Amino acid sequence: MPDSLLVQRPVSATLVEMILPEQTNHYGTLFGGEGLSLLAKTAFVTASRYARADVVMAGAEGVRFIAPVPPGALLEMTGTVTRQGRSSLTVRVEGTAETPQTGARQPVMQADFEMVAVDGSGRPTPI
């Protein structure tokens, strides 16, 4: 089969969300729990696309909130597979905030997630 016909595994996924006032804390910036949820969602989508299987999160580390995100900002989350094991993989997720009116962009968050492919019984399965 020619290489051009082979299905390649996508190694990244991008999600974009506009931050709304109800996602903010009492300081008027993105609530950390909301940010963590968006990081985890991006890791899940990235791992699911890569593994072409059901996946679950086994852990997260290196979570960093680098800068505050105001309401009205576009938050672009990019997940990239950085390691593959037999049934697990590591996804690095980086978040960048963009001011829609100016296009100014700034890194705002980052985390590494360990994801595991599972079968119908919830047991690890090879990727």
Side-chain angles (χ1 to χ4, degrees):
M1 174 181 272
D3 287 341
S4 62
L5 297 179
L6 294 176
V7 176
Q8 299 295 316
R9 289 181 187 258
V11 295
S12 66
T14 301
L15 282 75
V16 178
E17 179 155 337
M18 177 170 272
I19 302 306
L20 302 174
E22 58 267 17
Q23 295 171 291
T24 63
N25 56 29
H26 60 290
Y27 299 111
T29 59
L30 179 65
F31 174 61
E34 286 281 337
L36 190 56
S37 176
L38 293 168
L39 287 165
K41 182 178 184 179
T42 305
F44 174 80
V45 170
T46 304
S48 296
R49 290 183 74 205
Y50 183 87
R52 296 294 181 209
D54 293 332
V55 296
V56 295
M57 184 189 312
E61 56 186 44
V63 178
R64 294 180 34 216
F65 294 101
I66 302 162
V69 181
L74 295 175
L75 182 58
E76 181 177 289
M77 309 291 283
T78 301
T80 305
V81 175
T82 59
R83 181 199 63 82
Q84 178 190 333
R86 188 183 77 76
S87 61
S88 67
L89 49 96
T90 304
V91 178
R92 157 86 34 108
V93 181
E94 297 175 327
T96 302
E98 178 181 328
T99 305
Q101 297 80 4
T102 65
R105 295 171 57 86
Q106 170 181 0
V108 294
M109 60 185 71
Q110 174 183 307
D112 292 311
F113 292 87
E114 290 300 313
M115 308 297 287
V116 178
V118 295
D119 63 18
S121 301
R123 306 290 306 155
T125 190
I127 296 174

